[in-house]
Amino acid sequence: MEPQLLCCEGNRPAVRRAYRDPNLLTERVLLALLRAEDKYLPAPNYFKCVQREIVPNMRRIVATWILEVCEEQKCEEEVFSLAMNYMDRFLSVEPTKKYHLQLLGAACMFLASKLKETIPLTAEKLCIYTDNSITPTQLLQMELLVLNKLKWDLASLTPLDFIDHFISLLMSVPYYCFLLTTF
């Protein structure tokens, strides 16, 4: 007799996740998130006040690279936004050479992956994604520098932390619910 597949079995292993807790979607929790958000925002003017070599277009190129790596590696959705938060907060306090920007992006992705992934990205894999322009040793050194500049405070809030709250609020609006039922 052949064993039958359960609904969670198949080609890809299922990732076990906790259910969303509706008790966390209260107004009190949302207000606490909004109060804490300021602590994790990068300086809005760091390109003018801190950075001398880095310009917004360079940040965009590295952000696109980070997103491509996250997508190819099927990272958790929070990894990209967390890595970008770390990178922006670092750039807000530390002048950085343009030839270190991809190294910084890789280090931020490395940290975010460690925080959010069950099986994080490896230093070696990230070095391969840079076409071996960095070494694992350089990545680990940059990781330590990022940790020190962020004062080891990696529990950042990102826009993803607010999405469930906003959707919950939208779903409670009667007109919005009417629109959803008409389609």
Side-chain angles (χ1 to χ4, degrees):
M1 180 171 172
E2 279 186 43
Q4 292 182 332
L5 293 177
L6 299 175
C7 62
C8 64
E9 295 176 348
N11 296 338
R12 296 185 334 165
V15 176
R16 303 235 185 255
R17 300 215 179 275
Y19 293 107
R20 302 250 185 231
D21 186 350
N23 294 316
L24 296 177
L25 297 178
T26 64
E27 183 179 348
R28 180 181 61 83
V29 173
L30 178 59
L31 291 174
L33 286 172
L34 290 169
R35 281 192 304 272
E37 181 184 30
D38 285 342
K39 181 179 179 183
Y40 300 105
L41 290 176
N45 57 352
Y46 70 78
F47 285 115
K48 292 179 183 174
C49 298
V50 180
Q51 298 304 321
R52 299 290 174 240
E53 291 188 26
I54 309 286
V55 295
N57 188 47
M58 294 174 186
R59 179 196 177 275
R60 183 184 53 80
I61 292 168
V62 172
T64 302
W65 174 76
I66 292 172
L67 182 60
E68 288 171 357
V69 173
C70 286
E71 287 175 345
E72 191 168 314
Q73 288 298 306
K74 296 178 176 50
C75 292
E76 295 291 330
E77 59 186 12
E78 298 97 343
V79 171
F80 173 73
S81 59
L82 202 54
M84 292 307 301
N85 178 274
Y86 296 161
M87 188 168 81
D88 286 334
R89 286 172 49 207
F90 181 88
L91 292 172
S92 294
V93 296
E94 183 67 20
T96 305
K97 301 287 185 189
K98 61 183 170 186
Y99 57 84
H100 282 147
L101 193 55
Q102 189 176 33
L103 173 60
L104 172 62
C108 292
M109 193 175 6
F110 194 39
L111 286 166
S113 173
K114 286 180 179 181
L115 197 66
K116 294 294 181 178
E117 294 284 343
T118 306
I119 302 171
L121 298 171
T122 64
E124 292 76 17
K125 190 174 283 189
L126 283 170
C127 291
I128 291 169
Y129 275 104
T130 67
D131 291 331
N132 293 308
S133 65
I134 64 172
T135 65
T137 302
Q138 289 172 314
L139 182 60
L140 295 174
Q141 289 172 344
M142 180 59 86
E143 177 189 33
L144 190 56
L145 179 61
V146 170
L147 285 167
N148 284 321
K149 292 298 176 180
L150 299 182
K151 298 181 170 94
W152 290 76
D153 191 358
L154 301 181
S156 299
L157 293 174
T158 67
L160 287 173
D161 295 310
F162 294 92
I163 287 178
D164 287 338
H165 290 276
F166 294 152
I167 289 173
S168 174
L169 288 171
L170 284 173
M171 295 302 283
S172 67
V173 176
Y175 179 71
Y176 185 73
C177 291
F178 170 75
L179 288 176
L180 287 177
T181 60
T182 60
F183 290 107

